[in-house]
């Protein structure tokens, strides 16, 4: 509560891009993450946000295999109850 809940337009979230790099040895993908705001005509943008339409960053993310997750879970005292998917 207490925040500004007015609508200013459409916010698109970008999670990953076709050109993102992947290092198969380290199993790290450099994900592009972005927020893009399309402001509706006549909408008043909050103070300090004038002229800004978005932000994009590249975030390294480690990808784990099913076997690694299974081993990590067992090391932490968990038991894999079931597996779904490929």
């Amino acid at each position: 509560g207490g925040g500004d809940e007015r609508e200013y337009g459409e916010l698109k979230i970008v999670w990953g891009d076709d050109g993102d790099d992947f290092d198969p040895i380290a199993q790290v993908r450099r994900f592009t993450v972005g927020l893009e705001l399309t402001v509706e005509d006549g909408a008043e943008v909050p103070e300090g946000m004038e002229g800004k339409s978005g932000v994009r960053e590249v975030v390294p993310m480690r990808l784990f295999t099913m076997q690694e997750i299974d081993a990590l879970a067992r090391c932490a005292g968990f038991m894999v109850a079931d597996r779904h998917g490929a």
Side-chain angles (χ1 to χ4, degrees):
D4 186 355
E5 297 181 12
R6 290 179 285 172
E7 291 189 21
Y8 299 101
E10 181 179 1
L11 179 66
K12 292 182 183 178
I13 300 172
V14 177
W15 184 258
D17 201 359
D18 290 339
D20 288 348
D21 292 330
F22 177 68
D23 180 344
I25 303 301
Q27 292 175 224
V28 174
R29 182 172 177 190
R30 297 180 47 81
F31 275 96
T32 300
V33 179
L35 301 173
E36 299 172 1
L37 177 63
T38 303
V39 179
E40 294 175 353
D41 290 336
E44 288 188 31
V45 179
E47 186 175 333
M49 294 296 295
E50 300 88 357
K52 296 183 181 178
S53 61
V55 63
R56 289 177 88 85
E57 294 288 334
V58 176
V59 180
M61 181 181 215
R62 170 73 157 79
L63 302 179
F64 293 90
T65 66
M66 185 270 308
Q67 293 86 354
E68 289 173 313
I69 293 173
D70 182 64
L72 290 168
R74 290 177 193 277
C75 287
F78 291 96
M79 181 182 77
V80 177
D82 208 352
R83 294 183 185 130
H84 301 273

